Coordinates of all heavy atoms in Angstrom, one line a residue:
V1 N 42.5 45.0 -7.6 CA 43.6 44.6 -6.7 C 44.5 45.8 -6.4 O 44.9 46.6 -7.2 CB 44.5 43.5 -7.5 CG1 45.6 43.0 -6.6 CG2 43.6 42.4 -8.0
K2 N 44.8 46.0 -5.1 CA 45.6 47.1 -4.7 C 47.0 46.6 -4.3 O 47.2 45.5 -3.7 CB 45.0 47.8 -3.5 CG 44.7 46.8 -2.3 CD 44.3 47.6 -1.1 CE 44.1 46.5 0.0 NZ 43.9 47.1 1.3
A3 N 48.0 47.4 -4.7 CA 49.4 47.0 -4.4 C 49.7 47.6 -3.0 O 49.7 48.8 -2.8 CB 50.3 47.6 -5.4
A4 N 50.1 46.7 -2.1 CA 50.4 47.1 -0.7 C 51.9 47.0 -0.4 O 52.3 47.1 0.7 CB 49.6 46.3 0.3
A5 N 52.7 46.7 -1.5 CA 54.1 46.4 -1.3 C 54.8 47.6 -0.7 O 55.8 47.4 0.0 CB 54.7 45.9 -2.6
D6 N 54.4 48.8 -1.1 CA 55.1 50.0 -0.7 C 54.5 50.6 0.6 O 54.8 51.7 0.9 CB 55.1 51.0 -1.8 CG 53.7 51.4 -2.3 OD1 52.8 50.6 -2.0 OD2 53.6 52.3 -3.0
K7 N 53.6 49.9 1.3 CA 53.1 50.4 2.5 C 53.3 49.4 3.6 O 52.4 48.6 4.0 CB 51.5 50.6 2.3 CG 51.2 51.8 1.5 CD 49.7 52.1 1.6 CE 49.2 52.6 0.3 NZ 47.7 52.5 0.3
P8 N 54.5 49.3 4.2 CA 54.8 48.3 5.2 C 54.0 48.5 6.5 O 53.8 47.6 7.3 CB 56.3 48.4 5.4 CG 56.6 49.8 4.9 CD 55.6 50.2 3.9
S9 N 53.6 49.7 6.8 CA 53.0 50.0 8.1 C 51.5 50.0 8.0 O 50.8 50.6 8.8 CB 53.5 51.3 8.7 OG 53.2 52.4 7.8
E10 N 51.0 49.4 7.0 CA 49.5 49.4 6.8 C 48.9 48.6 8.0 O 49.3 47.6 8.4 CB 49.2 48.6 5.5 CG 47.7 48.7 5.1 CD 47.4 50.0 4.3 OE1 48.2 50.9 4.3 OE2 46.4 50.0 3.7
P11 N 47.8 49.2 8.5 CA 47.1 48.5 9.6 C 46.4 47.2 9.2 O 46.4 46.9 8.0 CB 46.0 49.5 10.1 CG 45.8 50.4 8.9 CD 47.1 50.4 8.2
A12 N 45.9 46.4 10.1 CA 45.3 45.2 9.7 C 44.2 45.3 8.7 O 43.5 46.4 8.7 CB 44.7 44.5 11.0
E13 N 44.1 44.4 7.9 CA 43.0 44.4 6.8 C 41.7 44.4 7.4 O 41.5 43.8 8.5 CB 43.2 43.2 5.9 CG 44.6 43.1 5.3 CD 44.6 43.4 3.8 OE1 43.6 43.1 3.1 OE2 45.5 44.1 3.3
P14 N 40.7 45.0 6.8 CA 39.3 44.9 7.3 C 38.8 43.4 7.2 O 39.4 42.6 6.5 CB 38.5 45.7 6.3 CG 39.4 45.8 5.1 CD 40.8 45.7 5.5
P15 N 37.8 43.1 8.0 CA 37.3 41.7 8.0 C 37.0 41.3 6.6 O 36.4 42.0 5.8 CB 36.1 41.8 8.9 CG 36.2 43.0 9.6 CD 37.0 44.0 8.8
Q16 N 37.3 40.0 6.3 CA 37.1 39.5 4.9 C 35.7 38.8 4.9 O 35.3 38.2 5.9 CB 38.2 38.5 4.5 CG 39.5 39.1 4.3 CD 40.6 38.1 3.9 OE1 40.7 37.1 4.6 NE2 41.2 38.3 2.9
S17 N 35.1 38.8 3.8 CA 33.9 38.0 3.6 C 34.3 36.6 3.4 O 35.4 36.3 3.1 CB 33.1 38.5 2.4 OG 33.8 38.1 1.2
A18 N 33.3 35.7 3.5 CA 33.6 34.2 3.4 C 34.2 34.0 2.0 O 35.1 33.2 1.8 CB 32.4 33.4 3.6
A19 N 33.6 34.7 1.0 CA 34.1 34.5 -0.4 C 35.6 34.9 -0.5 O 36.3 34.2 -1.2 CB 33.2 35.2 -1.4
E20 N 35.9 36.0 0.1 CA 37.3 36.4 0.0 C 38.3 35.5 0.7 O 39.4 35.2 0.3 CB 37.4 37.8 0.6 CG 36.9 38.9 -0.3 CD 36.8 40.3 0.4 OE1 36.6 40.3 1.6 OE2 37.0 41.3 -0.3
V21 N 37.8 35.0 1.9 CA 38.6 34.0 2.6 C 38.8 32.7 1.7 O 39.9 32.2 1.6 CB 38.0 33.6 3.9 CG1 38.7 32.4 4.6 CG2 38.0 34.8 4.9
F22 N 37.7 32.3 1.1 CA 37.8 31.1 0.2 C 38.8 31.3 -0.9 O 39.6 30.5 -1.2 CB 36.4 30.8 -0.3 CG 36.3 29.6 -1.2 CD1 36.0 28.4 -0.6 CD2 36.5 29.7 -2.6 CE1 36.0 27.2 -1.4 CE2 36.4 28.6 -3.4 CZ 36.1 27.3 -2.8
K23 N 38.7 32.5 -1.5 CA 39.6 32.9 -2.6 C 41.1 32.8 -2.2 O 41.9 32.3 -2.8 CB 39.2 34.2 -3.2 CG 39.2 34.3 -4.7 CD 38.7 35.6 -5.2 CE 39.8 36.6 -5.5 NZ 39.3 37.9 -5.9
G24 N 41.3 33.4 -1.0 CA 42.7 33.4 -0.4 C 43.2 32.0 -0.2 O 44.4 31.8 -0.5
V25 N 42.3 31.2 0.4 CA 42.8 29.8 0.6 C 43.1 29.1 -0.7 O 44.1 28.4 -0.8 CB 41.7 29.0 1.4 CG1 42.0 27.5 1.5 CG2 41.5 29.6 2.8
V26 N 42.2 29.3 -1.7 CA 42.5 28.7 -3.0 C 43.8 29.1 -3.6 O 44.6 28.3 -4.1 CB 41.3 29.0 -3.9 CG1 41.6 28.6 -5.4 CG2 40.0 28.2 -3.5
Q27 N 44.0 30.4 -3.5 CA 45.3 31.0 -4.1 C 46.5 30.4 -3.3 O 47.5 30.1 -4.0 CB 45.3 32.5 -4.0 CG 44.4 33.1 -5.1 CD 44.2 34.6 -4.9 OE1 44.5 35.2 -3.8 NE2 43.6 35.3 -5.8
E28 N 46.4 30.4 -2.0 CA 47.5 29.9 -1.3 C 47.8 28.4 -1.6 O 49.0 28.0 -1.8 CB 47.3 30.0 0.2 CG 48.0 31.2 0.8 CD 48.0 31.3 2.3 OE1 48.3 30.3 2.9 OE2 47.6 32.3 2.8
L29 N 46.8 27.6 -1.6 CA 46.9 26.2 -1.9 C 47.5 26.0 -3.3 O 48.4 25.2 -3.6 CB 45.6 25.4 -1.7 CG 45.2 25.2 -0.3 CD1 43.8 24.6 -0.3 CD2 46.2 24.2 0.4
A30 N 46.9 26.8 -4.3 CA 47.4 26.7 -5.7 C 48.8 27.0 -5.8 O 49.5 26.5 -6.7 CB 46.5 27.5 -6.6
A31 N 49.3 27.9 -5.0 CA 50.7 28.3 -5.1 C 51.7 27.4 -4.3 O 52.9 27.5 -4.4 CB 50.9 29.8 -4.5
S32 N 51.1 26.5 -3.5 CA 51.9 25.6 -2.7 C 52.6 24.5 -3.5 O 52.0 23.9 -4.3 CB 51.1 25.0 -1.6 OG 51.8 24.0 -1.0
P33 N 53.9 24.3 -3.3 CA 54.6 23.2 -4.0 C 54.1 21.9 -3.6 O 54.3 20.9 -4.3 CB 56.1 23.4 -3.7 CG 56.1 24.3 -2.4 CD 54.8 25.1 -2.4
D34 N 53.5 21.8 -2.4 CA 53.0 20.5 -1.9 C 51.5 20.3 -2.2 O 50.9 19.5 -1.6 CB 53.2 20.4 -0.3 CG 54.6 20.6 0.1 OD1 55.5 20.1 -0.7 OD2 54.8 21.2 1.1
R35 N 51.0 21.1 -3.1 CA 49.5 21.1 -3.2 C 48.9 19.7 -3.7 O 47.8 19.4 -3.2 CB 49.0 22.2 -4.2 CG 49.3 21.9 -5.6 CD 48.6 22.8 -6.6 NE 49.0 22.5 -7.9 CZ 50.1 22.9 -8.5 NH1 50.9 23.8 -7.9 NH2 50.4 22.5 -9.7
V36 N 49.7 19.0 -4.5 CA 49.1 17.7 -4.9 C 48.9 16.8 -3.7 O 47.8 16.2 -3.6 CB 50.1 17.0 -5.9 CG1 49.6 15.6 -6.2 CG2 50.2 17.8 -7.2
E37 N 49.9 16.8 -2.8 CA 49.7 16.0 -1.6 C 48.6 16.5 -0.7 O 47.8 15.8 -0.1 CB 51.1 15.9 -0.9 CG 51.1 14.9 0.2 CD 52.4 15.1 1.1 OE1 53.5 15.4 0.5 OE2 52.3 14.9 2.3
L38 N 48.6 17.9 -0.6 CA 47.6 18.5 0.3 C 46.2 18.2 -0.2 O 45.3 17.9 0.6 CB 47.9 20.1 0.3 CG 49.0 20.6 1.2 CD1 49.3 22.1 0.8 CD2 48.6 20.4 2.6
L39 N 46.1 18.3 -1.5 CA 44.7 18.1 -2.1 C 44.3 16.7 -1.9 O 43.1 16.4 -1.7 CB 44.7 18.5 -3.6 CG 44.9 20.0 -3.8 CD1 44.9 20.3 -5.3 CD2 43.9 20.8 -3.1
E40 N 45.3 15.7 -2.1 CA 44.9 14.3 -1.9 C 44.4 14.1 -0.4 O 43.5 13.4 -0.2 CB 46.2 13.5 -2.1 CG 46.4 13.1 -3.5 CD 45.2 12.5 -4.2 OE1 44.7 11.5 -3.6 OE2 44.8 13.0 -5.3
R41 N 45.1 14.8 0.5 CA 44.7 14.6 1.9 C 43.4 15.2 2.2 O 42.6 14.7 2.9 CB 45.8 15.2 2.8 CG 46.1 14.3 4.0 CD 47.2 14.9 4.9 NE 48.3 15.4 4.2 CZ 49.1 16.3 4.7 NH1 48.9 16.8 5.8 NH2 50.2 16.8 4.0
L42 N 43.2 16.4 1.6 CA 41.9 17.1 1.8 C 40.7 16.2 1.2 O 39.7 16.2 1.8 CB 41.9 18.4 1.1 CG 42.5 19.6 1.8 CD1 42.5 20.8 0.9 CD2 41.6 19.9 3.1
R43 N 41.0 15.6 0.1 CA 39.9 14.9 -0.6 C 39.6 13.5 0.1 O 38.6 13.0 -0.1 CB 40.4 14.7 -2.0 CG 39.2 14.2 -2.9 CD 39.5 14.2 -4.4 NE 40.9 14.4 -4.7 CZ 41.3 15.0 -5.8 NH1 40.5 15.6 -6.6 NH2 42.6 15.1 -6.1
A44 N 40.6 13.0 0.8 CA 40.5 11.6 1.3 C 39.2 11.5 2.2 O 38.9 12.3 3.1 CB 41.7 11.3 2.2
G45 N 38.4 10.5 1.9 CA 37.2 10.2 2.7 C 36.0 10.9 2.2 O 34.9 10.6 2.7
H46 N 36.2 11.9 1.3 CA 35.0 12.6 0.8 C 34.4 11.9 -0.4 O 34.6 12.3 -1.5 CB 35.4 14.1 0.5 CG 35.7 14.9 1.7 ND1 34.8 15.6 2.4 CD2 36.9 15.1 2.3 CE1 35.4 16.2 3.4 NE2 36.7 16.0 3.3
E47 N 33.7 10.8 -0.1 CA 33.1 10.0 -1.1 C 31.5 10.1 -1.0 O 31.0 10.2 0.1 CB 33.4 8.5 -0.9 CG 34.9 8.3 -0.7 CD 35.7 8.3 -2.0 OE1 35.0 8.1 -3.1 OE2 36.9 8.4 -2.0
P48 N 30.8 10.0 -2.1 CA 29.4 10.0 -2.0 C 28.8 8.7 -1.6 O 29.4 7.7 -2.0 CB 28.9 10.4 -3.5 CG 30.0 9.8 -4.3 CD 31.3 10.0 -3.5
D49 N 27.8 8.7 -0.8 CA 27.1 7.4 -0.5 C 26.0 7.2 -1.5 O 25.9 8.0 -2.5 CB 26.5 7.4 1.0 CG 25.4 8.4 1.2 OD1 24.9 9.0 0.2 OD2 25.0 8.6 2.3
Q50 N 25.2 6.2 -1.3 CA 24.2 5.9 -2.4 C 23.1 6.9 -2.5 O 22.3 6.9 -3.5 CB 23.6 4.5 -2.2 CG 22.7 4.3 -0.9 CD 23.5 3.9 0.3 OE1 24.7 4.3 0.5 NE2 23.0 3.0 1.1
H51 N 23.0 7.8 -1.5 CA 22.0 8.8 -1.6 C 22.5 10.2 -2.0 O 21.8 11.2 -2.1 CB 21.3 9.0 -0.2 CG 20.8 7.7 0.4 ND1 19.7 7.1 -0.2 CD2 21.1 7.0 1.4 CE1 19.4 6.0 0.5 NE2 20.3 5.9 1.5
G52 N 23.8 10.2 -2.4 CA 24.4 11.5 -2.9 C 24.9 12.4 -1.7 O 25.2 13.5 -2.0
W53 N 25.0 11.8 -0.5 CA 25.6 12.6 0.6 C 27.1 12.3 0.7 O 27.5 11.2 0.4 CB 24.9 12.2 1.9 CG 23.4 12.5 2.0 CD1 22.4 11.6 1.8 CD2 22.8 13.8 2.2 NE1 21.2 12.2 1.9 CE2 21.4 13.6 2.1 CE3 23.3 15.1 2.4 CZ2 20.5 14.6 2.3 CZ3 22.4 16.1 2.5 CH2 21.0 15.9 2.5
C54 N 27.8 13.3 1.2 CA 29.2 13.0 1.4 C 29.4 12.2 2.7 O 28.7 12.5 3.7 CB 30.0 14.3 1.5 SG 31.8 14.1 1.7
R55 N 30.3 11.2 2.7 CA 30.4 10.3 3.8 C 31.5 10.7 4.8 O 31.7 10.0 5.7 CB 30.7 8.9 3.3 CG 29.6 8.3 2.4 CD 30.1 7.2 1.6 NE 30.7 6.1 2.4 CZ 31.1 4.9 1.9 NH1 31.1 4.7 0.6 NH2 31.7 4.0 2.6
H56 N 32.2 11.8 4.5 CA 33.3 12.1 5.4 C 32.8 12.4 6.8 O 31.8 13.1 7.0 CB 34.0 13.4 4.9 CG 35.4 13.6 5.5 ND1 35.5 14.3 6.7 CD2 36.6 13.2 5.2 CE1 36.8 14.3 7.1 NE2 37.5 13.7 6.1
P57 N 33.5 11.9 7.9 CA 33.0 12.0 9.2 C 32.9 13.5 9.7 O 32.2 13.8 10.6 CB 34.0 11.3 10.1 CG 35.2 10.9 9.2 CD 34.6 11.0 7.8
S58 N 33.6 14.4 9.0 CA 33.6 15.8 9.4 C 32.2 16.4 9.2 O 31.9 17.4 9.7 CB 34.6 16.6 8.7 OG 34.3 16.8 7.4
H59 N 31.4 15.7 8.4 CA 30.0 16.2 8.1 C 29.0 15.5 8.9 O 27.8 15.7 8.7 CB 29.7 16.0 6.6 CG 30.7 16.5 5.6 ND1 31.2 17.7 5.7 CD2 31.3 15.9 4.6 CE1 32.1 17.9 4.7 NE2 32.2 16.8 4.0
A60 N 29.4 14.7 9.9 CA 28.4 13.9 10.7 C 27.4 14.8 11.3 O 26.2 14.4 11.4 CB 29.2 13.1 11.7
A61 N 27.7 16.0 11.8 CA 26.7 16.8 12.5 C 25.8 17.6 11.5 O 24.7 18.0 11.9 CB 27.5 17.8 13.4
H62 N 26.3 17.8 10.3 CA 25.5 18.5 9.3 C 25.7 17.9 8.0 O 26.8 17.9 7.4 CB 25.8 20.0 9.3 CG 27.2 20.3 9.1 ND1 28.2 20.1 10.0 CD2 27.9 20.8 8.0 CE1 29.3 20.5 9.6 NE2 29.2 20.9 8.3
W63 N 24.7 17.2 7.4 CA 24.9 16.5 6.2 C 25.3 17.4 5.0 O 24.8 18.5 5.0 CB 23.6 15.8 5.8 CG 23.3 14.7 6.7 CD1 22.5 14.7 7.8 CD2 23.8 13.3 6.7 NE1 22.4 13.5 8.5 CE2 23.2 12.6 7.8 CE3 24.6 12.7 5.8 CZ2 23.5 11.3 8.0 CZ3 24.9 11.3 6.1 CH2 24.3 10.7 7.2
E64 N 26.2 17.0 4.2 CA 26.6 17.8 3.0 C 26.3 16.9 1.8 O 26.7 15.8 1.7 CB 28.1 18.1 3.1 CG 28.4 19.1 4.2 CD 28.0 20.5 3.9 OE1 27.5 20.7 2.8 OE2 28.3 21.3 4.8
H65 N 25.7 17.6 0.8 CA 25.5 16.9 -0.5 C 26.9 16.7 -1.1 O 27.8 17.6 -0.9 CB 24.6 17.7 -1.4 CG 23.2 17.5 -1.2 ND1 22.6 16.3 -1.5 CD2 22.2 18.3 -0.7 CE1 21.3 16.3 -1.2 NE2 21.1 17.5 -0.7
H66 N 27.1 15.7 -1.9 CA 28.3 15.4 -2.6 C 28.2 16.1 -4.0 O 27.2 15.9 -4.6 CB 28.6 13.9 -2.8 CG 30.0 13.6 -3.2 ND1 30.3 13.6 -4.5 CD2 31.1 13.3 -2.4 CE1 31.6 13.3 -4.6 NE2 32.1 13.1 -3.3
P67 N 29.2 16.9 -4.5 CA 30.4 17.2 -3.8 C 30.2 18.3 -2.7 O 29.5 19.3 -2.9 CB 31.3 17.8 -4.9 CG 30.3 18.3 -5.9 CD 29.1 17.5 -5.8
C68 N 30.8 18.1 -1.6 CA 30.7 18.9 -0.4 C 31.7 20.1 -0.6 O 32.5 20.2 -1.5 CB 31.1 18.1 0.8 SG 32.8 17.6 0.9
P69 N 31.6 21.1 0.3 CA 32.4 22.3 0.2 C 33.9 22.0 0.2 O 34.7 22.7 -0.5 CB 32.1 23.1 1.5 CG 30.7 22.7 1.8 CD 30.6 21.3 1.4
T70 N 34.3 20.9 0.9 CA 35.8 20.5 0.9 C 36.2 20.1 -0.5 O 37.2 20.6 -1.0 CB 36.0 19.4 1.9 OG1 35.6 19.8 3.2 CG2 37.5 19.0 1.9
L71 N 35.4 19.3 -1.2 CA 35.7 18.9 -2.5 C 35.6 20.0 -3.5 O 36.4 20.1 -4.4 CB 34.7 17.8 -3.0 CG 35.0 16.4 -2.4 CD1 34.0 15.4 -2.8 CD2 36.4 15.9 -2.7
R72 N 34.7 21.0 -3.3 CA 34.6 22.1 -4.2 C 35.9 23.0 -4.0 O 36.4 23.5 -5.0 CB 33.4 22.9 -3.9 CG 32.1 22.2 -4.2 CD 31.0 23.1 -4.5 NE 30.5 23.8 -3.4 CZ 29.6 23.4 -2.5 NH1 29.0 22.3 -2.7 NH2 29.2 24.1 -1.5
L73 N 36.4 23.1 -2.8 CA 37.7 23.8 -2.6 C 38.8 23.1 -3.3 O 39.6 23.8 -4.0 CB 38.0 23.8 -1.1 CG 39.3 24.4 -0.7 CD1 39.4 25.9 -0.9 CD2 39.7 24.0 0.7
V74 N 38.9 21.8 -3.2 CA 40.0 21.0 -3.9 C 39.8 21.3 -5.4 O 40.8 21.5 -6.1 CB 39.8 19.5 -3.6 CG1 40.8 18.7 -4.4 CG2 40.2 19.3 -2.1
T75 N 38.6 21.2 -5.9 CA 38.4 21.4 -7.4 C 38.8 22.8 -7.8 O 39.5 23.0 -8.8 CB 36.9 21.1 -7.7 OG1 36.6 19.8 -7.2 CG2 36.7 21.2 -9.2
S76 N 38.5 23.8 -7.0 CA 38.9 25.1 -7.3 C 40.4 25.3 -7.4 O 40.9 26.0 -8.3 CB 38.3 26.1 -6.3 OG 36.9 26.1 -6.2
V77 N 41.1 24.7 -6.4 CA 42.5 24.8 -6.4 C 43.1 24.1 -7.7 O 44.0 24.7 -8.3 CB 43.1 24.1 -5.1 CG1 44.6 24.1 -5.2 CG2 42.6 24.9 -3.9
E78 N 42.6 22.9 -8.0 CA 43.1 22.2 -9.2 C 42.9 23.0 -10.4 O 43.8 23.1 -11.3 CB 42.4 20.8 -9.3 CG 43.0 19.9 -8.3 CD 42.3 18.5 -8.3 OE1 41.1 18.5 -8.7 OE2 42.9 17.5 -7.9
H79 N 41.7 23.6 -10.6 CA 41.5 24.4 -11.8 C 42.4 25.6 -11.8 O 42.9 26.0 -12.9 CB 40.0 24.9 -11.8 CG 39.1 23.8 -12.1 ND1 37.7 23.9 -12.2 CD2 39.3 22.5 -12.5 CE1 37.2 22.7 -12.5 NE2 38.1 21.9 -12.7
R80 N 42.6 26.2 -10.7 CA 43.5 27.4 -10.7 C 44.9 27.1 -10.9 O 45.7 27.8 -11.5 CB 43.3 28.1 -9.3 CG 44.1 29.3 -9.1 CD 43.7 30.0 -7.8 NE 42.5 30.8 -8.0 CZ 42.6 32.1 -8.4 NH1 43.7 32.7 -8.7 NH2 41.5 32.8 -8.6
A81 N 45.3 25.9 -10.5 CA 46.7 25.5 -10.6 C 47.1 25.0 -12.0 O 48.2 25.0 -12.4 CB 47.1 24.4 -9.5
D82 N 46.0 24.5 -12.7 CA 46.3 24.0 -14.0 C 46.8 25.1 -15.0 O 46.3 26.2 -14.9 CB 45.0 23.4 -14.6 CG 44.8 22.0 -14.1 OD1 45.7 21.4 -13.5 OD2 43.6 21.5 -14.2
P83 N 47.7 24.8 -15.8 CA 48.2 25.8 -16.7 C 47.2 26.2 -17.8 O 46.3 25.5 -18.0 CB 49.5 25.2 -17.4 CG 49.4 23.8 -17.1 CD 48.5 23.5 -15.9
Ligands
ZN1 ZN1 32.9 16.0 2.3

């Protein structure tokens, strides 16, 4: 981890990998005071059907096994936020 606090004129960060983006999103959500509500909303509708697929309409074009990436994100945030 690099400290950038003393470098205000730092140019834009290099492109992030998907894993780094995921980590950043998890950290931001975990730090949010509204995260319980946010996570509830994120999780809504992400239920498994009888075949183990996620039923959320956002996956209509590409089937996702349950738990889908959205639920894995929610779970990651919850684990990170727990004391
Ligand atoms: Zn889903």
